[in-house]
Amino acid sequence: MTNLNQLTKNEVFMAFASYTTILISKMMFMSMATAFYRVTRKVFANPEDCSQFGKGENAKKYLRTDDRVERVRRAHLNDLENIVPFIGIGLLYSLSDPDLSTALLHFRLFVGARIYHTIAYLTPLPQPNRGLAFFVGYGTTFSMAYRLLKNNLYL
Amino acid sequence: MTNLNQLTKNEVFMAFASYTTILISKMMFMSMATAFYRVTRKVFANPEDCSQFGKGENAKKYLRTDDRVERVRRAHLNDLENIVPFIGIGLLYSLSDPDLSTALLHFRLFVGARIYHTIAYLTPLPQPNRGLAFFVGYGTTFSMAYRLLKNNLYL
Amino acid sequence: MTNLNQLTKNEVFMAFASYTTILISKMMFMSMATAFYRVTRKVFANPEDCSQFGKGENAKKYLRTDDRVERVRRAHLNDLENIVPFIGIGLLYSLSDPDLSTALLHFRLFVGARIYHTIAYLTPLPQPNRGLAFFVGYGTTFSMAYRLLKNNLYL
C-alpha cells in the first residue's frame, strides 16, 4: 500500500486526477440537464415515465422528441466521444513522466475547451464557436497520444 | 515490476477491480440483449444485416425501429453515461487511499443500483424504480468525486 | 515519482498503453469521418451549423439525416460500447501480472478485430464480416474479464 502513496506525490498525476474529476462532474451534469428539460417540457422516451400525466392514449402524447432535449443529448454524446479518449490517453500520458508545465497546459486547454463547448452547444452560440472548442479539445488529446506513441511504442 | 504487486495488496484497489469487472460485464451484456432482440424480432439498422431475409425491397422492410430494441439501446447508453464516470472517478478514488469500508459501501451501492436500473429498464418496472436506481448510482459517483476534489485538488 | 518508472518497465503495461493509444486514435478518427460526411453531404443536426447555407427556411432543408452519416455514427457508438470496456478491463488485467505473450495475444486480437470492424462497417462488407469482427473483440474482452474475476475476486 505504501507505494500507492508515491502516486499522490506525482504532481502530473495529481493534476490529471483533479482535472478529470472536474470533467466527469461536468459530463454528469448533462444527465441532470436532460432530466430537467424532459420534466419541464414533458417530453419522455418511455411509457412508464409519463404514466403520472394520464392513462393510455392520454399519456402517449408525451412520448415524443423535442429540439431542446435532443440538443442536450447530442452535447452529452459528444462529451462521451471526446472526454473518454481524454481520460484514457491522459491517464497513460500522466504515467509516462511528462514535463509538469506541458502536462498542465494540455489538461487546462482540454478542460477549458470542453466547458466552452458545452456552453456553445446549449446556448447555442453561432458557429464556429462550438467547432473551435471541439477542435481545441481534439487536438489536445491527439497531441498527448502522439507523444505516447513516439516515446513509448511497444507492440 | 515488483511495485505493481503492491497494487494487488491494496484492498480498496482489488475491490474496485472486481466490482468494475462485474459492471463492465453487465454493460457488455446489453450488446447481446440488443443483438438478441434484433434477430428474434427481425429489426435491423443496416441493409447488409437483413440481406439473408430477401433481396432488394423485400429486405428493406426489416430496416425499421422497434420499441423493445430502442429500450435496450437506451438502457445501454444510460449505462455508458453512468458507468464510465464511475470507472474514471472510482479509479482515482481507489488510488487516493480511502477508508476500506467506506470504499466498499460506495462500490456495492453503485453496482447494486446499476443492476437494479437495468432490471427496472428492461422489465419495465413502473417509476420511480428506475429513477431511484439512477439517482443512487449518480449520488454514489458524485460522493467519490466530492471527496477527491476536497482532499486532493491540484489545479 | 520513482515508483512510477516501474510501470514503464512493465512490458504488459507498456504494450497495453501502446495498443490503447492506437485504439483511441482510431475511435477519434470516427469524429472526423462524421464531420467529413456532414460537410460534404450538407447534412446537419443543428440550425447554427448550416446557417452559412442560407437563412430561415432555406437553411432548414439541411437539418436532415443521411444513411452515410448515420452509418458512421453507429460505427462510432459501437466503438464506444466496445473499446471502453476493453480499456477498463485491459487496464486492470495489465496490472494483474498476466503472462506477456498471452496479454499481447489479447491486445493484438482486439485491435485487429476493431480495425476490421470499422472497415467492414464503413465499406460496408457483407455479413458476417462485421459480426465476426464484433464477436472476436467481444470474446477477447470477456476472456480478460473472466481471468480477472477468477484470480482476483475481492467483493
Side-chain angles (χ1 to χ4, degrees), chain B residues 19-37:
Chain B
Y19 285 109
T20 293
T21 308
I22 290 168
L23 272 173
I24 293 180
S25 304
K26 189 217 78 58
M27 186 163 72
M28 287 173 71
F29 155 78
M30 306 307 276
S31 297
M32 287 300 102
T34 306
F36 173 79
Y37 284 121

Side-chain angles (χ1 to χ4, degrees), chain C residues 48-97:
Chain C
E48 68 267 30
D49 298 351
C50 46
S51 61
Q52 66 194 99
F53 301 117
K55 301 234 178 200
E57 292 306 312
N58 213 20
K60 264 189 191 162
K61 69 180 173 195
Y62 299 115
L63 292 178
R64 49 185 174 172
T65 55
D66 174 89
D67 273 0
R68 195 74 217 170
V69 172
E70 293 307 306
R71 181 177 283 276
V72 180
R73 292 185 67 220
R74 284 196 298 273
H76 198 169
L77 189 57
N78 196 283
D79 266 0
L80 266 179
E81 290 171 357
N82 287 280
I83 291 178
V84 166
F86 172 84
I87 297 173
I89 297 283
L91 175 67
L92 300 172
Y93 172 80
S94 299
L95 298 176
S96 74
D97 200 23

Side-chain angles (χ1 to χ4, degrees), chain A residues 1-5 7-8 11-22 24-25 27-32 34-35 38 45-52 73 76-77 80 84 87 91 100 104 108, chain B residues 3 6-7 9-11 13 71 74 77 80-82 84-86 88-89 91-92 94-97 120-121 124-127 130 134-135 137-139 141-142 144-146 148-149 151-155:
Chain A
M1 192 143 10
T2 49
N3 286 288
L4 278 176
N5 296 330
L7 219 48
T8 57
E11 288 182 296
V12 173
F13 187 81
M14 288 292 288
F16 171 73
S18 296
Y19 285 109
T20 293
T21 308
I22 290 169
I24 293 180
S25 304
M27 187 163 71
M28 287 172 71
F29 155 78
M30 305 307 276
S31 297
M32 288 299 103
T34 305
R38 280 204 186 283
N46 299 293
E48 68 267 28
D49 298 353
C50 45
S51 60
Q52 65 194 100
R73 293 185 67 219
H76 198 170
L77 188 57
L80 265 179
V84 166
I87 297 173
L91 175 67
L100 176 62
L104 284 174
R108 285 168 184 164
Chain B
N3 286 288
Q6 304 291 332
L7 221 48
K9 283 183 195 115
N10 182 312
E11 289 181 294
F13 187 80
R71 181 176 284 274
R74 284 197 298 274
L77 188 57
L80 265 179
E81 290 171 357
N82 287 281
V84 166
F86 172 84
I89 298 282
L91 175 66
L92 301 171
S94 299
L95 298 176
S96 74
D97 201 22
Y121 217 145
L125 298 179
Q127 288 285 25
R130 196 182 90 232
F134 171 83
F135 278 109
Y138 194 87
T141 307
F142 202 75
M144 293 191 295
Y146 174 75
L148 271 170
L149 288 182
N151 293 356
N152 302 287
L153 198 63
Y154 185 103
L155 296 180

Side-chain angles (χ1 to χ4, degrees), chain A residues 89-132:
Chain A
I89 298 281
L91 175 67
L92 300 171
Y93 173 81
S94 300
L95 298 176
S96 74
D97 201 23
D99 182 52
L100 176 62
S101 61
T102 314
L104 284 174
L105 180 68
H106 279 86
F107 300 161
R108 285 168 184 164
L109 259 178
F110 187 84
V111 173
R114 291 311 302 182
I115 290 174
Y116 191 73
H117 182 273
T118 302
I119 294 169
Y121 217 146
L122 298 190
T123 306
L125 298 178
Q127 288 285 23
N129 279 289
R130 196 182 91 233
L132 281 180

Side-chain angles (χ1 to χ4, degrees), chain A residues 6 10 71 74 127 138 154, chain C residues 4 11 18 28 46 49:
Chain A
Q6 304 291 334
N10 182 312
R71 181 176 284 276
R74 285 196 297 274
Q127 288 285 23
Y138 194 87
Y154 184 103
Chain C
L4 278 177
E11 288 181 295
S18 296
M28 288 173 70
N46 298 293
D49 298 351

Side-chain angles (χ1 to χ4, degrees), chain C residues 4 16 20 37 39 44-45 48 52 54 62 68 80 82 97-98 101 128 136 143-144 148 155:
Chain C
L4 278 177
F16 171 73
T20 293
Y37 284 121
V39 170
F44 298 100
E48 68 267 30
Q52 66 194 99
Y62 299 115
R68 195 74 217 170
L80 266 179
N82 287 280
D97 200 23
S101 60
V136 169
S143 157
M144 292 191 295
L148 272 170
L155 297 179

